[in-house]
Amino acid sequence: QTSMGFGDYIILHTIGKGSQSHIKLASHVSTGDKAVIKIMPKAFVHKRHFQREVIALKMLRHKHIVHLKEMYESSGYMFIVLEYCSGGDLF
Protein backbone atom coordinates (compact mmCIF):
# COMPACT_ATOMS: atom_id res chain seq x y z
CA GLN A 1 0.00 0.00 0.00
CA THR A 2 1.39 3.41 -0.92
CA SER A 3 1.23 6.26 1.56
CA MET A 4 -0.65 9.42 0.73
CA GLY A 5 1.33 12.66 0.66
CA PHE A 6 0.20 15.93 2.15
CA GLY A 7 2.36 19.04 1.90
CA ASP A 8 5.71 18.14 3.47
CA TYR A 9 4.20 15.06 5.14
CA ILE A 10 3.47 11.44 4.30
CA ILE A 11 0.31 10.17 5.97
CA LEU A 12 1.01 6.85 7.67
CA HIS A 13 -2.36 5.80 9.11
CA THR A 14 -5.48 6.88 11.01
CA ILE A 15 -5.01 7.12 14.77
CA GLY A 16 -8.40 8.56 15.69
CA LYS A 17 -11.84 9.62 14.53
CA GLY A 18 -14.33 12.08 15.88
CA SER A 19 -17.78 13.11 14.80
CA GLN A 20 -16.34 15.91 12.66
CA SER A 21 -12.72 15.00 12.01
CA HIS A 22 -10.16 12.28 11.34
CA ILE A 23 -6.75 12.24 13.00
CA LYS A 24 -3.84 10.88 10.95
CA LEU A 25 -0.29 10.08 11.98
CA ALA A 26 2.18 11.53 9.50
CA SER A 27 5.93 11.71 8.95
CA HIS A 28 7.79 14.79 7.69
CA VAL A 29 9.38 13.99 4.33
CA SER A 30 12.83 15.45 4.97
CA THR A 31 13.25 15.13 8.76
CA GLY A 32 11.19 12.01 9.52
CA ASP A 33 9.63 13.81 12.50
CA LYS A 34 6.16 12.52 13.34
CA ALA A 35 3.16 14.83 13.39
CA VAL A 36 -0.61 14.55 13.66
CA ILE A 37 -2.89 15.91 10.96
CA LYS A 38 -6.44 16.77 11.99
CA ILE A 39 -8.64 16.64 8.87
CA MET A 40 -12.07 18.29 8.95
CA PRO A 41 -14.60 18.54 6.12
CA LYS A 42 -15.52 22.19 5.58
CA ALA A 43 -19.19 21.23 5.62
CA PHE A 44 -18.82 20.40 9.34
CA VAL A 45 -16.43 23.18 10.32
CA HIS A 46 -17.77 26.24 12.06
CA LYS A 47 -15.33 28.81 10.74
CA ARG A 48 -15.33 30.85 13.97
CA HIS A 49 -14.55 27.75 16.10
CA PHE A 50 -11.80 26.70 13.71
CA GLN A 51 -10.23 30.17 13.75
CA ARG A 52 -10.44 30.26 17.55
CA GLU A 53 -8.68 26.88 17.84
CA VAL A 54 -5.90 27.94 15.45
CA ILE A 55 -5.38 31.32 17.14
CA ALA A 56 -5.24 29.71 20.59
CA LEU A 57 -2.73 27.08 19.45
CA LYS A 58 -0.54 29.71 17.75
CA MET A 59 -0.46 31.88 20.87
CA LEU A 60 0.13 29.19 23.47
CA ARG A 61 3.66 27.93 24.02
CA HIS A 62 3.90 25.47 26.89
CA LYS A 63 5.47 22.05 27.33
CA HIS A 64 2.06 20.57 28.22
CA ILE A 65 0.17 22.04 25.23
CA VAL A 66 0.36 20.51 21.76
CA HIS A 67 2.27 22.75 19.33
CA LEU A 68 0.59 23.88 16.09
CA LYS A 69 3.02 23.25 13.23
CA GLU A 70 1.05 24.24 10.13
CA MET A 71 -2.42 24.82 8.78
CA TYR A 72 -3.78 24.09 5.30
CA GLU A 73 -7.07 24.52 3.49
CA SER A 74 -8.40 22.85 0.35
CA SER A 75 -11.68 23.34 -1.46
CA GLY A 76 -13.38 20.75 0.75
CA TYR A 77 -11.25 20.32 3.89
CA MET A 78 -9.41 22.13 6.66
CA PHE A 79 -6.14 20.62 7.94
CA ILE A 80 -4.26 21.32 11.15
CA VAL A 81 -0.77 19.82 11.54
CA LEU A 82 0.06 19.32 15.20
CA GLU A 83 2.96 18.04 17.26
CA TYR A 84 2.72 14.27 17.80
CA CYS A 85 2.58 13.16 21.42
CA SER A 86 2.89 9.42 21.91
CA GLY A 87 1.36 7.63 24.83
CA GLY A 88 -2.29 7.15 23.93
CA ASP A 89 -5.55 8.98 24.26
CA LEU A 90 -6.24 11.90 26.59
CA PHE A 91 -9.44 10.33 27.93
Side-chain angles (χ1 to χ4, degrees):
Q1 176 182 354
T2 56
S3 297
M4 187 172 103
F6 176 82
D8 292 332
Y9 296 89
I10 296 171
I11 294 176
L12 303 174
H13 58 84
T14 299
I15 59 174
K17 291 182 184 180
S19 62
Q20 299 178 2
S21 66
H22 286 94
I23 310 298
K24 306 281 188 176
L25 179 63
S27 176
H28 193 273
V29 173
S30 60
T31 67
D33 291 342
K34 289 189 176 159
V36 170
I37 301 177
K38 182 176 181 180
I39 303 170
M40 300 160 286
K42 281 187 173 180
F44 296 112
V45 174
H46 294 95
K47 192 164 186 160
R48 185 175 297 151
H49 294 155
F50 179 78
Q51 289 172 333
R52 190 178 311 144
E53 180 177 358
V54 169
I55 289 168
L57 288 170
K58 280 183 178 179
M59 290 174 47
L60 297 170
R61 295 282 181 190
H62 191 276
K63 65 181 180 178
H64 297 298
I65 297 174
V66 174
H67 172 68
L68 171 69
K69 293 178 169 281
E70 299 178 56
M71 185 184 88
Y72 297 98
E73 184 176 348
S74 73
S75 60
Y77 293 90
M78 304 294 282
F79 305 88
I80 299 177
V81 181
L82 302 164
E83 169 187 19
Y84 173 66
C85 300
S86 62
D89 205 327
L90 295 175
F91 299 103

